[in-house]
Amino acid sequence: QVQLVESGGGLVQPGESLRLSCAASGRIENIAFMRWSRQAPGKEREWVAQITSAGSQDYAERVKGRFTISRDIATNTVYLDMNNLQPEDTAVYYCGAQQRGINSWGQGTQVTVSS
């Protein structure tokens, strides 16, 4: 099973940018897709973006045009570039992978957008 470690979270002001990273290790073969989800305080976890093994990307409507998911195959790392961050983007961001129908998640990284 794959292990996932997120990094890159922090405190930013509205309109600023952040790059989140997700490093995959362990048994990384047969990963169908990797994704980012987030969970704001008092709310359910919501899907943000995903990238398939073929490199196809998809985004939630509320982040489309502001967030970009990408990957570095050589280092087994997936990124989430977040631009024009807004207070409603404040959440714990989780990296996930689906491997043979099994979902794995990292422990999350906190993103706080506040003036």
Side-chain angles (χ1 to χ4, degrees):
Q1 192 172 355
V2 63
Q3 286 84 50
L4 304 168
V5 178
E6 303 96 333
S7 61
L11 171 63
V12 297
Q13 295 188 343
E16 293 186 338
S17 300
L18 271 179
R19 166 175 266 203
L20 304 183
S21 300
C22 172
S25 62
R27 302 192 66 175
I28 61 173
E29 66 275 9
N30 297 310
I31 292 177
F33 59 84
M34 294 189 70
R35 58 191 169 189
W36 289 94
S37 295
R38 67 186 182 185
Q39 188 165 19
K43 296 186 177 181
E44 293 187 353
R45 188 178 295 196
E46 64 172 349
W47 169 75
V48 174
Q50 71 181 38
I51 185 165
T52 70
S53 58
S56 178
Q57 303 155 27
D58 200 8
Y59 301 91
E61 282 299 320
R62 62 182 62 194
V63 306
K64 196 172 291 185
R66 298 190 298 125
F67 291 11
T68 302
I69 188 170
S70 62
R71 64 182 181 176
D72 184 335
I73 294 175
T75 61
N76 300 315
T77 303
V78 172
Y79 301 99
L80 186 67
D81 288 294
M82 307 184 293
N83 297 314
N84 190 24
L85 284 161
Q86 299 301 315
E88 53 266 32
D89 295 315
T90 295
V92 177
Y93 284 71
Y94 298 91
C95 174
Q98 189 176 86
Q99 195 176 29
R100 297 192 183 94
I102 298 172
N103 293 313
S104 300
W105 294 97
Q107 293 188 320
T109 184
Q110 176 70 47
V111 172
T112 302
V113 186
S114 175
S115 56

